[in-house]
Amino acid sequence: LLNVILGLELPTRGKVVIRGNDITHKTANQIAKFRHQVFGIVFQRAEWVRSLNVLQNVALPLSINGVGKKEREEKAWHRIEQLGMEDHANYIPTELSGGQQQKITLARALINDPPIIVADEPTGNLDTNSAEKVMQLLKDLNEKQQKTILMVTHNIDYVRYASRTVYIRDGRIIEGSKQFLASN
């Protein structure tokens, strides 16, 4: 489902409309540009440019937008600091623990200030305290900055953070589907 929403895969039927844009019939390049502008993505498994340190990896999406080096680094530092990872800014991401990498992935997802955050198990590798901080940050982004958070989790404890919950089992929407489908 996330791959279809992000335009990484085509739906088997129907269309995908995001912020008034039907992405179903766009070219791969158009979808990639749209995805870069609209989504901040936290994948379950982080992908890094191994020759760049944490600060540079977080800033990378800004360089694609032509943002100057000083501004990129300031914004990246702010996001890294927001997640309590400033002591690790000069590390190579693969030198960090899985949980630390997940926080840095979130920092990178937020760097372009996207309207929609898509998070696939964003707390999966975090200890309870760190996971709660990440969940609170996502909640604040939603409530204070009006960002849409689309999160996949197997942790039922985090349902309390959601304003809408959709349950999927064996590829089918189950509980919560009436509320979900009525509003779309």
Side-chain angles (χ1 to χ4, degrees), residues 7-153:
L8 298 170
E9 294 180 30
L10 293 174
T12 53
R13 65 176 188 253
K15 58 185 177 178
V16 179
V17 179
I18 299 165
R19 301 187 66 152
N21 292 284
D22 181 355
I23 66 168
T24 312
H25 300 291
K26 291 184 182 285
T27 67
N29 285 342
Q30 289 171 325
I31 291 172
K33 185 176 182 180
F34 180 79
R35 186 173 40 248
H36 180 72
Q37 293 169 343
V38 174
F39 294 108
I41 306 170
V42 181
F43 288 108
Q44 198 168 15
R45 183 176 170 269
E47 296 293 333
W48 304 112
V49 177
R50 295 180 191 276
S51 60
L52 301 179
N53 67 25
V54 165
L55 183 71
Q56 294 163 331
N57 265 282
V58 171
L60 186 61
L62 293 173
S63 64
I64 294 168
N65 291 345
V67 176
K69 183 179 179 180
K70 185 175 192 258
E71 185 180 351
R72 282 193 317 257
E73 288 181 354
E74 285 174 2
K75 287 182 175 186
W77 181 259
H78 168 73
R79 290 301 186 188
I80 290 168
E81 200 172 42
Q82 190 176 27
L83 290 159
M85 294 296 296
E86 59 272 16
D87 291 345
H88 299 86
N90 292 314
Y91 283 68
I92 299 300
T94 54
E95 296 172 344
L96 304 177
S97 71
Q100 291 168 326
Q101 287 187 48
Q102 218 156 9
K103 287 181 182 180
I104 296 304
T105 301
L106 180 56
R108 185 175 55 191
L110 297 172
I111 197 71
N112 279 326
D113 197 26
I116 303 172
I117 308 296
V118 176
D120 185 6
E121 296 283 354
T123 59
N125 292 318
L126 301 178
D127 61 78
T128 304
N129 187 44
S130 294
E132 286 296 326
K133 286 179 183 175
V134 166
M135 292 305 299
Q136 189 59 51
L137 173 62
L138 292 172
K139 181 179 179 182
D140 289 347
L141 288 166
N142 174 253
E143 292 176 353
K144 296 176 182 170
Q145 296 182 28
Q146 305 304 301
K147 296 200 181 294
T148 298
I149 311 295
L150 176 58
M151 184 178 91
V152 172
T153 185

